[in-house]
């Protein structure tokens, strides 16, 4: 056998040799730094034997995969420490996640608090210093059931695995876990870590099941990286959209509608400003705005394929002995709009935009503020077009996305999600062509992308847009999904230039993903200090003395309101300094103070959020200033300074 390195060099592999052996053939220093290896794109344990020819890559701490590898192994290290301290604890799952890892644990009758994390960390450091090998052992299903016979959570996982497939376990010291792997070679690589929070998590995300204890943590390869992550996490807590949403009066959640946000007056003002801008952007880009019903017949969802592939996530009801579903997606409704008329090739592409209200049956344990809800508004568009128009149309969409995201100061990266391994509809050849079309469109417009294998929608591949906020956090938002299945299922056609009926292609696309999630993201990105065009209250008016200046304050507020500004007067009996601080706490872009000088000269004195300077100008000058800022969608202040 032989393997090919990234530089094209080939190395002969003797039977039984592993990744570490190949690393040694390259250099001893590389062997010491190696954590795992990839063969033909598949990540493997460093000491696992090489059993086929192929492309070979060693994974070090600098590799993209290293963070997840480290954190997955750290989850096992934490479990080993917990088992040592709490011998009766039972473990469920412990994956790596985007920003670290967690483990769900049944401590039985013991209540573990955040102050106990220090004790667990100390034991983890003890085991790390032992540098125990992390050893994989493959066993039969029968053997696995015997190994984990005292752990009902692992038994359930094993019993739900298909057939009699070989099951992998990993052992370090006295701790053994059920796991697909791969892992680091030994615990000695895990030196810098922090356990930071404890939360409750229902087993399998179902509130009917027992609540387990979920411990979150993070591991890094250097102390500097860990310090930076802890700093970011501390800042993230200040920016938590649930905290800011309550403080700023944006939205509320109620036990009477879990996962269904209530928009309060200030939050609705922000949301409406976002919606109006979205609508104008789409009308200016030749989209036709539509609205489709929330409740539609089961027959429609059977035709679309959602009833078969998405039924468990849909809310359903019965009306006059016929099944209906609250829509989880807007696409079938848009198709019905298309089918309402006959169409010619001259009309294509036909772009239907919709702020569609959808519902999905999310597990209660997964609900999270505005980030994970059961009801939300998708900023959808469904584009019907000819096959030879795909490249140009995706080019147009990418330009629109560039324009929209730049308004919020958000950078993005693109992932191409390909055909799922199962539970998809359509012919593989059609899927392959659709995936090529998306790749070629990205390359033609100079947009780099990463392949995300198997994560496409059940009806077609997609481009997912990962937004990076001012703190470097990455959020999944926009999507472009190429669908060469659904129009055919609904018998959609257009008449081509030869007079023949042809089935169009459909592009599903959403820029924000959902208004709720996007508002949550920008709330944290701006730390609640929204740009003036979006701010719930754009101007706070403070009369120095209510008796002497109250009428002038009302006159100013009325004039500004007539100009379309969102204005609030604070004429409470509190001292002026207190009211100014309150406007600062509420992150109002402009605070105006009105006293004798202002009243007598038809002036206003304003202070912009994030600055200390107070400036006096005429009323018209101020209106020109704020109007220009709103028109340009200017960012308010440097994001990084918002909470300092």
């Amino acid at each position: 056998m032989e393997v090919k390195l990234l530089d094209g060099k080939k190395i002969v592999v003797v039977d039984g040799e592993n990744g570490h052996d190949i690393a040694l053939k390259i250099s001893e220093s590389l062997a010491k730094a190696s954590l795992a290896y990839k063969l033909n794109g598949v990540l493997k344990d460093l000491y696992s034997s090489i059993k086929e020819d192929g492309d070979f890559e060693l994974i070090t701490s600098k590799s993209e995969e290293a963070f997840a590898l480290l954190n997955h192994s750290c989850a096992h290290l934490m479990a080993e420490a917990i088992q040592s301290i709490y011998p009766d604890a039972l473990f469920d799952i412990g994956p790596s996640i985007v920003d670290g890892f967690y483990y769900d644990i049944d401590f039985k009758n013991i209540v573990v608090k955040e102050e106990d994390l220090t004790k667990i960390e100390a034991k983890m450091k003890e085991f790390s210093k032992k540098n125990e090998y992390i050893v994989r052992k493959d066993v039969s299903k029968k053997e696995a059931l015997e190994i984990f016979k005292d752990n009902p959570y692992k038994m359930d996982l094993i019993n739900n695995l298909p057939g009699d497939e070989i099951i992998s376990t990993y052992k370090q010291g006295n701790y053994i876990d059920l796991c697909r792997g791969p892992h680091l070679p030994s615990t000695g690589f895990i030196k810098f870590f922090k356990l930071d929070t404890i939360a409750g998590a229902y087993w399998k995300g179902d509130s009917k099941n027992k609540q387990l204890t979920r411990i979150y943590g993070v591991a890094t390869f250097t102390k500097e990286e860990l310090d930076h992550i802890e700093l970011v996490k501390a800042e993230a807590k200040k920016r938590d959209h649930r905290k800011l949403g309550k403080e700023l009066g944006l939205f509320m959640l109620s036990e009477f509608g879990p996962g269904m946000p209530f928009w309060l007056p200030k939050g609705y003002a922000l949301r409406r400003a976002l919606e109006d801008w979205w609508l104008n952007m789409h009308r200016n880009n030749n989209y036709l705005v539509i609205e489709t019903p929330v409740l539609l017949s089961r027959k429609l969802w059977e035709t679309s394929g959602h009833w078969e592939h998405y039924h468990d996530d849909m809310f359903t009801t019965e009306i006059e002995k016929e099944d209906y579903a609250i829509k989880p997606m807007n696409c079938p409704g848009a198709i019905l709009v298309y089918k309402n008329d006959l169409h010619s090739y001259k009309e294509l592409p036909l772009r239907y935009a919709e702020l569609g209200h959808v519902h999905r049956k999310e597990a209660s344990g997964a609900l999270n503020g505005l980030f994970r809800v059961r009801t939300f508004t998708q900023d959808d568009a469904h584009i019907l077009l000819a096959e030879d128009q795909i490249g140009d149309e995706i080019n147009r969409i990418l330009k629109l996305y560039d324009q929209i995201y730049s308004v919020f100061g958000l950078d993005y990266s693109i992932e191409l999600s390909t055909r799922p391994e199962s539970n998809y509809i359509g012919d593989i050849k059609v899927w392959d062509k659709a995936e090529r079309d998306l790749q070629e469109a990205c390359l033609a417009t100079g947009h780099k992308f990463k392949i995300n294998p198997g994560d496409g929608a059940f009806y077609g591949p997609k481009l997912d847009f990962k937004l990076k906020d001012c703190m470097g956090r990455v959020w999944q938002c926009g999507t472009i999904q190429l669908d060469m299945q659904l129009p055919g299922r609904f018998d959609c056609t257009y008449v081509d230039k030869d007079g023949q009926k042809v089935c169009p292609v459909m592009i599903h696309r959403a820029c924000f993903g959902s208004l709720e999630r996007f508002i949550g993201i920008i709330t944290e990105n701006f730390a609640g200090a929204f740009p003036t065009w979006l701010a719930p209250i754009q101007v706070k008016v403070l009369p120095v003395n209510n008796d002497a200046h109250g009428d002038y304050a009302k006159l100013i507020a009325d004039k500004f309101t007539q100009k379309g500004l969102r204005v609030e007067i604070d004429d409470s009996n509190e001292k002026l300094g207190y009211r100014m601080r309150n406007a600062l706490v509420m992150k109002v872009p402009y605070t105006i103070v009105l006293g004798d000088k202002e009243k007598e000269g038809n002036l206003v004195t304003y202070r912009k959020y994030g600055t200390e300077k107070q400036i006096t100008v005429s009323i018209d000058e101020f209106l020109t200033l704020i109007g220009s800022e709103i028109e340009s969608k200017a960012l308010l202040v440097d994001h990084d300074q918002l909470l300092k």
Side-chain angles (χ1 to χ4, degrees):
M1 292 183 294
E2 66 178 16
V3 294
K4 185 171 73 172
L5 306 183
L6 292 176
D7 62 4
K9 181 182 177 182
K10 293 182 179 180
I11 294 181
V12 174
V13 180
V14 178
D15 263 359
E17 285 191 322
N18 56 46
H20 185 258
D21 295 323
I22 303 303
L24 278 172
K25 291 181 179 181
I26 301 170
S27 79
E28 190 172 332
S29 61
L30 180 59
K32 288 180 180 178
S34 295
L35 308 173
Y37 71 89
K38 278 170 73 173
L39 185 62
N40 295 322
V42 179
L43 194 62
K44 295 180 178 292
D45 295 300
L46 185 64
Y47 287 98
S48 66
S49 298
I50 297 172
K51 297 180 180 178
E52 62 180 352
D53 297 336
D55 295 326
F56 181 88
E57 178 184 354
L58 285 162
I59 303 301
T60 70
S61 63
K62 305 298 182 184
S63 303
E64 185 179 345
E65 299 84 354
F67 183 78
L69 190 68
L70 171 65
N71 278 273
H72 193 181
S73 297
C74 196
H76 281 225
L77 181 67
M78 181 182 75
E80 180 185 14
I82 289 171
Q83 179 182 266
S84 174
I85 301 169
Y86 307 96
D88 294 329
L90 298 173
F91 301 92
D92 182 26
I93 57 172
S96 63
I97 53 178
V98 172
D99 55 356
F101 66 87
Y102 71 78
Y103 218 125
D104 288 344
I105 307 146
D106 181 356
F107 284 98
K108 297 189 176 178
N109 297 320
I110 298 174
V111 177
V112 175
K113 300 179 180 178
E114 294 209 357
E115 50 263 37
D116 296 315
L117 297 182
T118 304
K119 177 171 57 177
I120 298 171
E121 282 181 357
K123 184 61 71 172
M124 290 170 68
K125 289 174 182 175
E126 180 184 320
F127 287 137
S128 171
K129 288 177 182 177
K130 287 184 178 181
N131 196 22
E132 299 166 326
Y133 283 111
I134 303 174
V135 181
R136 175 178 175 133
K137 183 180 180 183
D138 292 336
V139 298
S140 68
K141 196 167 189 177
K142 182 179 178 181
E143 289 175 303
L145 288 169
E146 176 61 26
I147 292 169
F148 297 101
K149 63 183 178 182
D150 296 324
N151 186 329
Y153 305 105
K154 300 294 184 186
M155 294 277 282
D156 180 77
L157 288 168
I158 296 165
N159 284 320
N160 280 304
L161 292 172
D164 294 321
E165 69 175 40
I166 296 298
I167 295 169
S168 56
T169 66
Y170 281 84
K171 188 174 187 295
Q172 59 199 58
N174 295 319
Y175 176 75
I176 187 168
D177 207 342
L178 178 74
C179 186
R180 292 182 183 275
H183 282 280
L184 297 173
S186 69
T187 61
F189 287 91
I190 313 170
K191 295 178 180 178
F192 305 101
F193 49 83
K194 178 71 177 175
L195 306 183
D196 49 16
T197 56
I198 291 181
Y202 292 110
W203 183 41
K204 295 184 175 180
D206 190 337
S207 60
K208 296 176 183 177
N209 291 335
K210 183 170 184 177
Q211 189 175 68
L212 306 180
T213 299
R214 176 171 291 181
I215 300 180
Y216 287 94
V218 64
T220 62
F221 289 101
T222 67
K223 185 179 184 302
E224 291 73 22
E225 289 174 316
L226 186 62
D227 289 343
H228 176 71
I229 286 175
E230 288 304 302
L231 186 65
V232 169
K233 285 188 174 182
E235 183 68 12
K237 287 181 180 179
K238 297 178 187 177
R239 294 172 181 247
D240 190 312
H241 76 282
R242 294 165 298 184
K243 171 178 173 288
L244 289 171
K246 185 175 182 179
E247 292 173 355
L248 302 178
L250 302 180
F251 68 92
M252 59 169 273
L253 298 167
S254 168
E255 61 186 90
F256 296 106
M260 301 180 184
F262 289 68
W263 290 98
L264 302 176
K266 288 185 173 65
Y268 182 75
L270 183 156
R271 177 192 170 111
R272 189 64 196 211
L274 192 62
E275 288 178 345
D276 289 345
W277 175 70
W278 184 93
L279 287 166
N280 286 332
M281 288 286 289
H282 283 74
R283 289 188 180 113
N284 292 338
N285 280 273
N286 299 315
Y287 284 80
L288 303 171
V289 182
I290 63 172
E291 182 174 84
T292 61
V294 172
L295 191 66
L296 292 164
S297 167
R298 168 178 177 169
K299 295 172 186 175
L300 177 77
W301 302 111
E302 286 177 335
T303 303
S304 70
H306 287 89
W307 196 267
E308 177 184 357
H309 295 273
Y310 209 77
H311 177 259
D312 290 344
D313 296 307
M314 298 166 70
F315 291 102
T316 59
T317 188
E318 186 179 290
I319 301 174
E320 296 180 346
K321 297 183 180 180
E322 184 178 343
D323 290 330
Y324 281 75
I326 300 175
K327 64 178 180 179
M329 299 175 186
N330 298 304
C331 27
I335 285 180
L336 293 184
V337 171
Y338 178 84
K339 284 178 64 67
N340 187 55
D341 292 302
L342 298 175
H343 299 287
S344 160
Y345 73 95
K346 295 179 181 179
E347 298 174 71
L348 304 184
L350 264 174
R351 306 178 183 95
Y352 297 114
E354 178 177 16
L355 292 171
H357 200 194
V358 300
H359 292 71
R360 296 180 185 175
K361 201 185 289 183
E362 298 285 356
S364 60
L367 300 177
N368 176 16
L370 299 178
F371 289 161
R372 198 67 176 262
V373 291
R374 287 176 173 160
T375 177
F376 54 95
T377 302
Q378 280 188 315
D379 67 312
D380 251 336
H382 295 93
I383 303 165
L384 284 298
L385 68 165
E387 195 171 311
D388 62 3
Q389 295 175 320
I390 290 173
D392 288 342
E393 189 61 25
I394 293 177
N395 187 358
R396 282 177 57 97
I397 296 171
L398 290 171
K399 287 179 180 177
L400 178 63
Y401 280 22
D402 283 338
Q403 188 178 358
I404 288 175
Y405 292 146
S406 67
V407 168
F408 303 93
L410 297 167
D411 294 325
Y412 70 82
S413 59
I414 300 176
E415 287 187 1
L416 170 57
S417 297
T418 59
R419 175 175 52 84
E421 292 184 9
S422 59
N423 199 33
Y424 63 88
I425 59 177
D427 184 85
I428 290 179
K429 290 182 180 178
V430 176
W431 273 86
D432 290 344
K433 184 180 186 311
E435 290 170 10
R436 285 196 303 274
D437 286 339
L438 288 177
Q439 289 187 48
E440 289 169 5
C442 285
L443 293 172
T445 55
H447 287 83
K448 295 180 180 179
F449 62 90
K450 185 173 75 172
I451 300 290
N452 187 13
D455 201 41
F458 70 85
Y459 48 75
K462 59 179 180 172
L463 298 176
D464 287 324
F465 291 75
K466 309 285 187 176
L467 301 189
K468 182 179 285 189
D469 68 13
C470 65
M471 295 171 62
R473 297 174 301 176
V474 176
W475 307 91
Q476 164 66 55
C477 287
T479 184
I480 300 173
Q481 300 177 359
L482 190 54
D483 186 350
M484 306 177 92
Q485 319 289 343
L486 218 53
R489 293 173 75 94
F490 280 92
D491 196 27
C492 293
T493 61
Y494 67 92
V495 178
D496 70 8
K497 60 184 178 182
D498 298 322
Q500 302 298 312
K501 285 188 175 181
V502 180
C503 182
V505 176
M506 188 177 199
I507 294 176
H508 310 244
R509 48 114 300 200
C511 181
F512 299 146
S514 84
L515 287 183
E516 287 73 9
R517 180 173 172 79
F518 191 75
I519 289 172
I521 290 168
I522 62 174
T523 298
E524 297 198 0
N525 184 57
F526 294 126
F530 299 101
T532 304
W533 73 277
L534 266 184
I537 301 298
Q538 296 166 318
V539 181
K540 179 84 81 168
V541 178
L542 310 180
V544 174
N545 180 289
N546 290 331
D547 292 332
H549 313 118
D551 289 341
Y552 184 57
K554 290 175 183 175
L555 184 148
I556 292 293
D558 288 344
K559 187 176 182 69
F560 287 3
T561 301
Q562 289 169 12
K563 293 293 185 181
L565 296 177
R566 295 184 289 276
V567 185
E568 191 172 79
I569 299 176
D570 186 350
D571 55 1
S572 64
N573 292 323
E574 301 291 347
K575 292 181 178 179
L576 180 62
Y578 178 88
R579 286 182 283 151
M580 291 185 72
R581 283 193 297 275
N582 188 52
L584 184 66
V585 168
M586 297 304 290
K587 304 176 188 290
V588 178
Y590 286 93
T591 302
I592 285 181
V593 176
L594 302 175
D596 291 336
K597 177 181 68 174
E598 289 78 17
K599 180 180 177 181
E600 291 167 6
N602 284 326
L603 304 171
V604 296
T605 296
Y606 72 86
R607 186 176 75 176
K608 191 173 182 179
Y609 181 80
T611 69
E612 297 293 331
K613 191 175 182 181
Q614 296 190 48
I615 301 172
T616 302
V617 295
S618 70
I619 296 171
D620 288 342
E621 284 177 314
F622 179 78
L623 287 172
T624 299
L625 166 74
I626 194 170
S628 175
E629 186 172 308
I630 291 170
E631 179 67 24
S632 68
K633 304 292 183 294
L635 298 176
L636 188 59
V637 292
D638 181 358
H639 300 180
D640 295 333
Q641 303 300 319
L642 289 176
L643 287 176
K644 293 185 180 178

